[in-house]
Amino acid sequence: MAANAVNSTPLSLPLSIPTGKLNSSPTICLLTKPSIPTLSIHSTFSLSNNNFRFYSNFSLRPSSSLASVGNAGFVEEPSTNVKFPTSLTLPGCSTSLSLLGTGYREKVFAIIGVKVYAAGLYINSSVSNELNAWRGRSAAAIQEDSSLFDIIFQSRSEKSLQIVLVRDVDGKTFWDALDDAISPRIKAPTPDDESALSTFRSIFEGRSLKKGTFIFLTWLEPPKMLVSISIDGSPTGIDATIESNNVTSSLFDVFFGDSPVSPTLKASVATGLAAVLK
C-alpha cells in the first residue's frame, strides 16, 4: 500500500491488537488513523457451540481496489505458526485471491483449549467494486448491515477459506462439526440440498486428516463451491463440486450472517471493510 498511502505519518498499531508475523522484508506503509488497523484484527468466536473459538488477523495484499500491507510473501498465524501466502491461485478461479485474515479454531476439553486448525480467508479483490454504496461508512454501520455481506456472497467474485490442520483429525469428526453448523440453517432441504450434503460428507468420512493437511472451500458463485484437499500446499485439483445454493449460502452464513457463530470475526471483517471502503 506504500504507493497508495494518503497520509505521511505511519500508523502505530495499538499494543492490544496482536498482529501476524510478516516473514519477508517488504517496505510497509500503513494507514495513519489509529482506529483503523490495516494489518490485523484479533477476534474470537464459537463455530458450532460455545466450545469453539476463532481468532482472526486482518491483512490484505496489494491490489488496485483493496487496501494492502505491502508485498509480503506470507503471513504467519501467530498462535499456530502456520504460514499463509498473501495470495493464492486455486483451481477453478479466474484470478489469484488475496488474503483477508487468518486465525485458528480450538476445541475446549474441560478447561483446556486444543487447537485444531488454522484458517485463512481469501477474496477476489474486485469485490470492492460492488460495495461503493458503503464507502465512508463506519465499521459498526457495516457490521449491522446484513445486505453488504449478502452482496459479498452473491458476488461472482471468488472467495476461498483455506484450512490447515495443526493436529490429526478424523474425517468424520471434521465433517460432523461442519454439518452441525450448516444443517440447522437449511429449514427444508430439497433433493439437491441432500445430494450436495451427501457429496460434501463423502469427501471426509473414512478419511484420516493428518496434521498439515490443507482444505480449501472455494465459492465460485452463489450456488457453486469447490472443495480441494492437499497435503503439500496449494491444490492441483478439485475433490468435489458442491452445487446447492442452500448449502453454500449456509456455510457462508455460518461466519457472516445476521446471527453469526463468530460475532467478533464479523466485527473484524467489518473493520477491515471500513478501512478498504473509506
Side-chain angles (χ1 to χ4, degrees), residues 11-254:
L11 169 68
S12 296
L13 291 177
L15 293 178
S16 60
I17 301 177
T19 63
K21 303 174 184 177
L22 300 179
N23 286 267
S24 58
S25 300
T27 298
I28 299 175
C29 182
L30 300 176
L31 296 177
T32 61
K33 293 183 178 180
S35 62
I36 307 178
T38 59
L39 187 59
S40 70
I41 296 102
H42 180 266
S43 61
T44 63
F45 81 99
S46 166
L47 182 60
S48 59
N49 54 53
N50 290 330
N51 290 330
F52 293 92
R53 295 194 295 272
F54 188 95
Y55 300 77
S56 69
N57 297 301
F58 173 81
S59 66
L60 283 173
R61 74 186 296 274
S63 83
S64 59
S65 54
L66 291 178
S68 64
V69 295
N71 289 306
F74 59 84
V75 171
E76 183 176 284
E77 197 288 307
S79 296
T80 60
N81 299 321
V82 172
K83 297 178 178 65
F84 289 86
T86 54
S87 67
L88 280 178
T89 301
L90 296 171
C93 290
S94 61
T95 187
S96 62
L97 306 183
S98 300
L99 181 63
L100 182 63
T102 68
Y104 70 87
R105 179 183 176 185
E106 71 176 13
K107 183 173 182 178
V108 177
F109 295 95
I111 60 172
I112 301 174
V114 178
K115 296 178 181 65
V116 179
Y117 61 73
L121 180 65
Y122 292 79
I123 62 171
N124 184 326
S125 60
S126 66
V127 71
S128 67
N129 298 326
E130 301 177 51
L131 303 176
N132 288 326
W134 285 270
R135 292 193 180 277
R137 295 196 187 183
S138 68
I142 288 174
Q143 183 178 357
E144 294 301 319
D145 193 343
S146 61
S147 61
L148 178 146
F149 292 94
D150 288 341
I151 287 177
I152 292 175
F153 173 72
Q154 294 296 337
S155 172
R156 291 182 177 272
S157 296
E158 301 97 337
K159 304 156 281 285
S160 186
L161 186 68
Q162 177 186 351
I163 294 170
V164 184
L165 297 180
V166 296
R167 64 186 303 106
D168 294 352
V169 179
D170 176 72
K172 183 179 184 301
T173 300
F174 186 87
W175 164 252
D176 286 345
L178 281 179
D179 191 37
D180 286 347
I182 296 171
S183 291
R185 288 171 161 78
I186 305 176
K187 303 304 181 184
T190 67
D192 285 345
D193 299 335
E194 296 288 1
S195 176
L197 287 170
S198 178
T199 299
F200 211 168
R201 182 186 307 112
S202 67
I203 302 169
F204 299 105
E205 289 192 334
R207 188 169 195 160
S208 179
L209 301 174
K210 298 296 185 181
K211 177 180 178 181
T213 298
F214 294 76
I215 301 169
F216 299 85
L217 307 174
T218 304
W219 293 268
L220 296 185
E221 53 188 73
K224 187 174 183 179
M225 185 181 75
L226 307 180
V227 183
S228 300
I229 300 176
S230 171
I231 61 173
D232 56 2
S234 297
T236 57
I238 299 166
D239 288 272
T241 301
I242 308 300
E243 297 191 76
S244 161
N245 193 75
N246 284 336
V247 173
T248 59
S249 64
S250 292
L251 185 58
F252 192 82
D253 188 71
V254 165

